[in-house]
Amino acid sequence: MIPAMSETAPDLPNNSPLALARRVKGYIAALISLAQGYLEPDDTAQTRASNQMEHGATVKLRTHIHRLEYQLRCYILWLAAQMIERANTEPGYLSHLKNLTSIAQAQPSLGAALSPFHVCGTQTETDKNTLSGFYGCEQQTKPTNNPEGQRPSNSIILEQERELRRLTAKTPSIGGFQILPSPKKSRRSSRTPGFKFTPDPLRLVDASRLLARMNRLPRVLKRADTYAMKLVLSNCKSALPLKKGELEGDQTSPLYIPPFANWLPPDTLWSSTEDEAERTDLNLLHYLASSALIRAGHGPPGTNAADDLPDLTPLDPLPPPQIRLLSHP
């Protein structure tokens, strides 16, 4: 069980973007504290924490990370849906988002402060680093042999530079955070899978990649506004001018993800925590994201805001009786 560590200020609306961001930040901090207890002590290296962890602990940690990643996806999609709604009603809002994105790319340190939602604008660089207590989860160092910052043109030099960065990096490369599901490639094997023994839950394994994935969570939360803006500008160029219900036929929105077909989040994620506060926020984030996308016209194919409501026409009152006068002869 991960205890709630909410930082929501009492004067903020409970369902505001900033209040939810602070609560999610508290859940991430609680997960990192839990992971610290899973790590095995390293007797050979006294200056840093070990990345060794029991196999059973890695299974639990992966489940918690998966749940928090889903909350972040819902949160970012909720922000994106609100941006789409504003772009459909305010003529200059889309150009405003483009300007914010270009300024954030030119000055990364100002990205959060320039956000139209100001989700984590008050978070400092110190706050970003205090969430992680692992030596192996710090940001990757990028050594370079080119002090002038010029990009080498020789492919051999580039390969050597990439190999040097891979060997000297403090954390393994895990790729970027994917908000929308990417199409999975089918892997068909002609071999019949052999018998596999159940893995020993007490066996020590290397959890470096898992810890790096966990350490990515606070950075994704801090950049949630930028993720949402880029998502709107890159995936909704053709659908932005459209108003509610104008997606043609059964066209699938680029922002639609399969779990939003249901009004509750996946049960495996909901049941992976015993914290009632986090369960409530998981339900809330799922609902906010799915309902906002439906209102903006980016829900499941052929879905509008009234599709989930029951058809109450059988309960309508009967029409009044028709009284006719007999005509006199």
Side-chain angles (χ1 to χ4, degrees):
M1 177 175 178
I2 302 180
M5 299 176 60
S6 176
E7 299 181 8
T8 306
D11 55 341
L12 286 174
N14 190 47
N15 296 345
S16 67
L18 182 57
L20 280 170
R22 288 178 173 175
R23 295 207 295 271
V24 173
K25 179 183 176 182
Y27 301 139
I28 295 174
L31 174 61
I32 292 176
S33 299
L34 179 68
Q36 288 177 336
Y38 286 156
L39 288 175
E40 291 293 324
D42 189 358
D43 298 333
T44 60
Q46 301 295 334
T47 59
R48 64 183 180 92
S50 170
N51 292 331
Q52 294 289 321
M53 188 180 297
E54 293 180 357
H55 175 74
T58 61
V59 175
K60 297 178 182 178
L61 186 61
R62 185 177 293 105
T63 303
H64 293 313
I65 293 175
H66 188 198
R67 184 182 65 254
L68 284 170
E69 287 177 343
Y70 184 79
Q71 293 184 50
L72 289 175
R73 290 186 179 96
C74 291
Y75 183 74
I76 293 171
L77 288 172
W78 176 44
L79 296 184
Q82 295 180 72
M83 294 178 186
I84 294 174
E85 287 185 298
R86 290 190 60 180
N88 287 331
T89 56
E90 300 178 18
Y93 185 73
L94 185 58
S95 301
H96 176 62
L97 287 183
K98 293 179 180 179
N99 294 334
L100 288 178
T101 305
S102 59
I103 295 175
Q105 291 177 350
Q107 303 180 22
S109 60
L110 299 179
L114 292 173
S115 165
F117 287 94
H118 302 284
V119 173
C120 294
T122 58
Q123 189 179 23
T124 62
E125 292 296 324
T126 305
D127 296 332
K128 178 182 67 174
N129 296 328
T130 54
L131 284 177
S132 177
F134 306 106
Y135 174 86
C137 294
E138 297 175 359
Q139 293 184 352
Q140 294 187 11
T141 57
K142 297 183 178 180
T144 178
N145 296 327
N146 190 6
E148 298 181 0
Q150 299 178 357
R151 184 182 179 87
S153 57
N154 193 302
S155 60
I156 299 179
I157 299 178
L158 286 176
E159 291 297 329
Q160 292 177 346
E161 175 68 15
R162 294 193 187 98
E163 183 65 15
L164 176 62
R165 294 184 182 186
R166 186 185 67 83
L167 294 175
T168 57
K170 294 180 180 179
T171 57
S173 177
I174 57 175
F177 182 73
Q178 299 294 329
I179 303 172
L180 301 175
S182 56
K184 296 181 179 180
K185 298 180 180 179
S186 60
R187 297 181 179 179
R188 296 182 179 180
S189 177
S190 58
R191 294 184 177 180
T192 303
F195 179 81
K196 294 183 180 180
F197 289 97
T198 303
D200 183 5
L202 301 180
R203 177 172 56 92
L204 293 181
V205 296
D206 182 31
S208 299
R209 289 179 59 86
L210 199 60
L211 296 176
R213 183 176 165 188
M214 180 188 66
N215 187 66
R216 184 177 59 183
L217 297 175
R219 299 198 299 268
V220 172
L221 176 61
K222 185 177 181 180
R223 297 174 176 88
D225 307 21
T226 305
Y227 273 108
M229 287 188 289
K230 291 182 178 179
L231 200 62
V232 170
L233 296 176
S234 60
N235 292 294
C236 302
K237 293 180 180 179
S238 60
L240 264 177
L242 300 180
K243 295 183 179 179
K244 174 184 172 182
E246 291 187 4
L247 282 175
E248 298 179 357
D250 292 335
Q251 179 182 354
T252 302
S253 167
L255 297 183
Y256 168 72
I257 60 176
F260 287 167
N262 300 318
W263 65 285
L264 285 175
D267 184 67
T268 53
L269 297 179
W270 184 86
S271 59
S272 61
T273 177
E274 298 179 359
D275 184 4
E276 292 298 331
E278 186 173 359
R279 285 180 171 181
T280 302
D281 285 334
L282 177 62
N283 291 337
L284 178 61
L285 285 169
H286 177 94
Y287 168 75
L288 290 174
S290 59
S291 59
L293 287 174
I294 291 176
R295 288 196 309 267
H298 291 266
T303 303
N304 56 57
D307 280 349
D308 294 334
L309 299 180
D311 183 13
L312 302 179
T313 53
L315 300 179
D316 292 342
L318 296 175
Q322 295 182 357
I323 303 176
R324 297 178 181 178
L325 295 177
L326 297 176
S327 60
H328 296 282

